[in-house]
Amino acid sequence: MLSGSKGIALGMAGLVLAGFVAYLALRGLTPPLPPPPPEVAQDPLLSEGRQLYFDRCVSCHGTAGKGDGPIAKGLQGPAPRDFTTPQWKYGNTASETLQVVTQGVKESAMPGWKGTFSPSEIRAVTAYVYFLGGRSVPTELRAP
Ligand code: HEC
């Protein structure tokens, strides 16, 4: 028979082990991001934007920004936009794009990110949308 304190110690060790196994199992479900391309890795704004994009935008807009994320097909209303098209629906300027990302689009699945992201995070994720569109990042997104 185990004495009381030994039993407790063993129980605790078991809990720690179970927690660790659960952690490994969950980590396996969300694979780490593939390494960024060099033009992103060398640019702190785009690196931050990429992380935010993969956390919050990829489900609808897809990894390459083509509007083909895993939940895109099941949405009500207009489809998520493909950022690689030459003319963006809500305009190509930094202020127009910031407006869409900040406020979202009414009557569509596109949420506004004002309450989720800080102004600098909104600029970073918007910059990453320009990168996915194969465009240069407008200077307004770099300096507030
Ligand atoms: C739940 C799905 C969903 C998520 C998540 C989402 N979007 Fe959208 N997004 C949409 C839809 C749908 C539209 C198209 C709205 C329309 O056509 O009126 C859109 C449109 C846009 C546009 C306008 C593009 C254009 O052509 O003018 C931008 C920019 C954009 N999203 C950026 C983002 C960013 C950045 C994130 C993450 C922070 C994000 N979206 C997350 C669904 C989503």
Side-chain angles (χ1 to χ4, degrees):
M1 252 306 267
L2 287 170
S3 76
S5 66
K6 264 196 192 144
I8 289 171
L10 262 181
M12 299 275 278
L15 276 180
V16 168
L17 188 70
F20 186 64
V21 169
Y23 163 77
L24 287 181
L26 282 173
R27 206 178 55 163
L29 292 177
T30 49
L33 287 188
E39 60 273 47
V40 173
Q42 286 157 12
D43 186 332
L45 185 74
L46 288 179
S47 299
E48 183 190 0
R50 180 176 189 261
Q51 188 69 52
L52 299 170
Y53 183 88
F54 273 85
D55 283 349
R56 299 302 188 121
C57 320
V58 92
S59 57
C60 290
H61 290 282
T63 49
K66 290 182 168 292
D68 58 356
I71 69 168
K73 285 226 152 59
L75 298 173
Q76 301 272 324
R81 304 293 302 168
D82 174 356
F83 302 134
T84 67
T85 55
Q87 175 60 52
W88 286 344
K89 183 171 176 182
Y90 295 101
N92 289 349
T93 68
S95 61
E96 289 164 325
T97 312
L98 279 173
Q99 164 77 19
V100 174
V101 175
T102 307
Q103 305 292 341
V105 179
K106 283 208 181 75
E107 321 266 310
S108 94
M110 172 64 187
W113 295 94
K114 188 170 56 181
T116 308
F117 291 151
S118 70
S120 75
E121 287 173 328
I122 291 199
R123 284 197 303 278
V125 79
T126 303
Y128 193 70
V129 168
Y130 277 81
F131 167 79
L132 289 174
R135 302 160 184 231
S136 56
V137 174
T139 48
E140 301 97 293
L141 296 180
R142 297 198 175 275

